[in-house]
């Protein structure tokens, strides 16, 4: 279906691989640049090399894992409240 | 002394005129009235300029200050661009309600006393409910009723608090206070309900996504940010707000991560963003209050922009669930680019308005040596990029190919989105342009190479986390329970239990009563009525012959005489 449109360069496996490579390169660059550009640490640790990177990555992982865990308790079917209203 | 009429009156007049007018005249009103209002806002000088005697009080409908004009200005800009976005698609009553709602918000900004503040506060509650109802679906009707109950309740709490303060201090002035007694606590709670603070945050994500594509754009702007200016005016430096704000920040991220509906993701992220402002008001230094005000301004723009792009998608496809969407970038380039600019701004990416405003709040935390607050705010900035900055555009415009090939936005919607996108970037690139208008003098350098690098690391590695954890974030057709479960389900079930028990009791009682009363009715009928097959009259119901009556009277009288003389 829509062969031509699925060939949009953004969705081609080649271009996705290329984008990933560029992304990794930029990520590495932001950390390496810290050797040259001094990041002012307000509380000491936040001035360490790669602190922003590690902190951002780890806090996101923590939040996703926490949300996932909470989801097991709190997630309900889309129609949960509608069914409550109908039969509840 | 009436030197100056409240600028809000212009929008109220416009709201009245939107209904009866048609065509070009209405378009001129919708687009012209907000501009006229903006002009009026900038004519308001500092200090109390209008006083009106009311009962035993002197109320002050118009009081100007940098802070008040700042918030009124963004509400005015929002009304203009929102009007542009909506005027060809929205129903007339939704537009009229939106203008009255905006008038309420601007009225609160200039309210010099608590009575005026309360009146405009309720004005907002009423007309925002109408906007939710304008969604037109049964779900919108139900959500609108829940929304109205919550806000009327909040209004009552606020009013009781205001009356307490007026009675105990004798002053209706708006002045900084702390939540130290019952009255001030009630005022704080009343305001925080409008800010979507816990435990009632759920009203926001419940109601806003049920409004129409245009309605939710208006809703995203006024109520919560009016609560922010009220907090800045009344509770600067109230320490409890730091904790409340941090909770809202984390709540918004976690719930947005779990959510499937695109507009509900954005609604949760309003709670998250308002959390930053509430936290800043809690810190309470000049830098923090400047940060709260600046962030509110920037937030209204990029949040409306995000709701606009989600609105266009809903308007064109009729869908807003991530599970139904994806791959729309092919045919909706303008909406996609504007949505991404909004997403980058909310994530406080360098060169966007989020960066030049939100970082003021973090800096305020470091200035006060609040290490924990600073690290939580920083983690939250990463989380914002995760839940709104990437998640929203990714699942709506990229992700999989949903097969949908909708047209891009109508011209007026595109124009509105482009105006806000340009503003997002302009505020990010030229922060000096607006720092001068903030409530306090700004001594803040938005950009330094180290800070930009730190934020780039933080945000880009959050992006990495997003794409690596993508399998864990597969969208499901689900909603997430919130505190509102207690009143939507628990209280409902409990109430039903009480009603059912009552019905049962009544049935048993009535059955008993009927059998008992039947026996007595039968007896009564025997003596006082007609009964039996031949309709025989009872002893006290039948007509007695005169002779018998006379005889009985004689017997009674003689008995009486005998008893008397014994």
């Amino acid at each position: 279906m829509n062969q031509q449109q699925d060939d949009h360069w953004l969705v081609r496996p080649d271009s996705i691989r290329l984008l990933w490579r560029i992304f990794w390169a930029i990520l590495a660059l932001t950390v390496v640049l810290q050797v040259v550009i001094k990041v002012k640490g307000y509380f000491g640790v936040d001035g360490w090399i790669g602190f922003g990177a590690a902190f951002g990555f780890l806090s996101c992982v923590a939040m996703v894992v926490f949300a996932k865990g909470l989801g097991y308790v709190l997630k309900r079917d889309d129609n949960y409240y509608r069914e409550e209203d109908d039969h509840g | 002394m009436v030197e100056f009429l409240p600028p809000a009156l212009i929008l109220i007049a416009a709201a009245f005129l939107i209904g009866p007018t048609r065509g070009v005249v209405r378009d001129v009103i919708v687009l012209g009235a907000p501009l006229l209002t903006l002009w009026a806002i900038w004519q308001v000088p500092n200090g109390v300029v209008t006083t009106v005697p009311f009962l035993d009080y002197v109320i002050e409908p118009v009081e100007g200050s940098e802070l008040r004009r700042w918030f009124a200005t963004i509400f005015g800009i929002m009304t203009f661009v929102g009007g542009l976005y909506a005027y060809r698609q929205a129903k007339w009553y939704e537009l009229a309600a939106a203008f009255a709602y905006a008038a309420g918000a601007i009225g609160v900004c200039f309210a010099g006393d608590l009575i005026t503040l309360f009146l405009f506060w309720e004005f907002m509650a009423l007309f925002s409910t109408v906007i939710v109802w304008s969604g037109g679906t049964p779900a919108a009707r139900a959500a609108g009723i829940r929304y109205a109950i919550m806000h009327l309740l909040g209004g009552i709490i606020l009013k009781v608090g205001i009356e307490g303060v007026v009675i105990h201090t004798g002053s209706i002035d708006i002045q900084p206070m702390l939540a130290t007694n019952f009255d001030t606590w009630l005022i704080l709670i009343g305001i925080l309900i409008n800010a979507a603070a816990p435990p009632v945050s759920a009203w926001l994500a419940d109601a806003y996504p049920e409004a129409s594509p245009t309605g939710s754009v208006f809703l995203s702007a006024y109520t919560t940010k009016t609560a922010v200016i009220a907090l800045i005016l009344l509770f600067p430096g109230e320490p409890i707000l730091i904790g409340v704000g941090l909770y809202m920040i984390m709540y918004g991220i976690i719930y947005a991560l779990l959510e499937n509906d695109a507009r509900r993701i954005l609604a949760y992220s309003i709670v998250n963003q308002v959390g930053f402002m509430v936290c800043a008001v809690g810190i309470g230094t000049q830098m923090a209050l400047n940060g709260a005000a600046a962030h509110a301004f920037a937030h209204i723009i990029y949040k409306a922009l995000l709701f606009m792009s989600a609105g266009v998608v809903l308007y064109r496809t009729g869908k807003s669930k991530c599970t139904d969407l994806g791959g729309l970038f092919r045919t909706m380039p303008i909406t996609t680019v504007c949505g991404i600019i909004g997403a980058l701004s909310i994530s406080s990416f360098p060169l966007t308005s989020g960066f030049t405003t939100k970082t003021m709040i973090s800096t305020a935390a470091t200035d006060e040596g609040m290490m924990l607050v600073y690290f939580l705010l920083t983690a939250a900035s990463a989380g914002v990029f995760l839940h709104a900055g990437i998640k929203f555009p990714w699942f709506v415009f990229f992700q999989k190919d949903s097969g949908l090939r909708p047209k891009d936005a109508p011209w007026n919607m595109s124009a509105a989105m482009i105006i806000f996108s340009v503003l997002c970037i302009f505020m990010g690139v030229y922060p000096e342009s607006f720092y001068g208008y903030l409530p306090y003098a700004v001594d803040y350098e938005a950009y330094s190479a180290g800070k930009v690098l730190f934020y780039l690391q933080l945000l880009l590695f959050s992006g990495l986390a997003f794409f690596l954890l993508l399998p864990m974030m597969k969208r499901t057709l689900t909603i997430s329970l919130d505190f509102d479960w207690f009143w939507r389900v628990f209280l409902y079930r409990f109430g039903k239990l009480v009603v059912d028990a009552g019905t049962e009791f009544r049935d048993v009682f009535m059955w008993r009563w009927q059998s008992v009363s039947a026996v007595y009715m039968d007896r009564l009928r025997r003596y006082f009525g007609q009964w039996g097959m031949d309709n025989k009259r009872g002893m006290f119901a039948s007509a007695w012959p005169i002779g018998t009556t006379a005889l009985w009277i004689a017997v009674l009288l003689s008995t009486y005489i005998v008893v008397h003389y014994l």
Side-chain angles (χ1 to χ4, degrees), chain A residues 5 34 76 78 84 88, chain B residues 321 405 457 479 493 496:
Chain A
Q5 298 214 353
Q34 214 178 334
R76 291 292 182 279
D78 239 4
E84 276 299 325
Chain B
K321 287 177 184 164
R405 295 288 183 272
Q457 278 187 16
I479 55 151
R493 282 189 194 156
K496 212 164 131 39

Side-chain angles (χ1 to χ4, degrees), chain B residues 145-461:
Chain B
I145 291 170
R146 288 192 294 273
Y147 177 88
I149 291 173
M150 185 56 69
H151 284 273
L152 295 180
L153 192 71
I156 290 167
I157 294 173
L158 178 65
K159 182 156 192 294
V160 175
I162 288 173
E163 281 170 7
V165 167
V166 171
I167 289 168
H168 292 138
T169 68
S171 161
I172 58 169
D173 269 353
I174 288 184
Q175 51 201 349
M177 48 180 91
L178 290 173
T180 46
N181 57 27
F182 186 71
D183 311 326
T184 44
W185 263 107
L186 286 189
I187 293 185
L188 181 63
I189 292 171
I191 296 172
L192 281 177
I193 287 178
N194 266 27
V200 296
S201 328
W203 65 258
L204 198 155
D206 177 30
Y208 286 7
E210 300 297 347
S212 73
T214 46
S216 57
V217 172
F218 288 110
L219 288 170
S220 74
Y222 304 110
T223 302
T224 47
K225 263 63 75 186
T226 313
V228 170
I229 185 182
L231 287 175
I232 297 178
L233 288 170
L234 291 167
F235 293 97
E238 167 58 52
I240 191 137
L241 292 177
I242 298 177
V244 171
L246 287 173
Y247 178 93
M248 290 168 69
I249 290 171
M250 293 303 166
Y251 162 93
I253 295 173
I254 300 295
Y255 272 80
L257 282 174
L258 289 170
E259 185 53 47
N260 182 35
D261 185 292
R263 290 198 299 165
R264 198 153 274 139
I265 292 175
L266 297 179
Y268 282 124
S269 100
I270 294 180
V271 181
N272 159 276
Q273 294 293 301
V274 173
F276 278 94
M277 300 166 213
V278 171
C279 186
V281 179
I283 295 172
T285 58
Q286 293 196 349
M287 169 75 89
L289 297 180
N290 266 346
H295 190 221
F297 196 100
H299 166 79
I300 287 175
I301 294 174
Y302 58 65
K303 180 55 67 172
L305 177 58
L306 287 165
F307 265 104
M308 283 174 180
S309 69
V312 170
V313 170
L314 177 64
Y315 176 70
R316 286 298 196 202
T317 66
K319 298 173 197 299
S320 70
K321 287 177 184 164
C322 292
T323 36
D324 299 331
L325 295 169
L328 300 182
F329 75 94
R330 291 178 178 82
T331 54
M332 304 183 103
I334 295 176
T335 312
T336 306
V337 170
C338 292
I340 290 175
I341 290 174
L344 291 177
S345 303
I346 196 173
S347 316
S348 61
F349 224 83
L351 300 183
T352 65
S353 58
F355 186 80
T356 50
T357 57
K358 201 164 67 180
T359 50
M360 291 175 102
I361 300 175
S362 306
T363 307
T366 56
D367 288 348
E368 296 302 294
M370 299 173 171
M371 189 165 94
L372 183 67
V373 175
Y374 170 74
F375 279 118
L376 285 173
L377 288 177
T378 308
S381 297
V384 174
F385 191 46
L386 190 70
H387 83 270
I390 313 185
K391 184 182 168 174
F392 168 73
W394 172 257
F395 280 107
V396 173
F397 299 111
F398 301 100
Q399 198 202 165
K400 60 181 198 281
D401 184 4
S402 59
L404 297 167
R405 295 288 183 272
K407 280 204 291 187
D408 210 336
W411 73 264
N412 60 313
M413 291 183 159
S414 299
M417 290 193 292
I418 290 169
I419 291 176
F420 270 178
S421 300
V422 168
L423 271 176
C424 280
I425 293 171
F426 180 79
M427 287 178 70
V429 178
Y430 299 106
E432 322 69 62
S433 62
F434 65 90
Y435 280 175
Y437 297 103
L438 288 173
Y440 300 100
V442 180
D443 177 26
Y444 181 65
E445 201 61 53
Y447 286 101
S448 74
K451 196 155 80 176
V452 170
L453 188 65
F454 179 78
Y455 272 90
L456 281 178
Q457 278 187 16
L458 187 79
L459 297 176
L460 292 174
F461 276 84

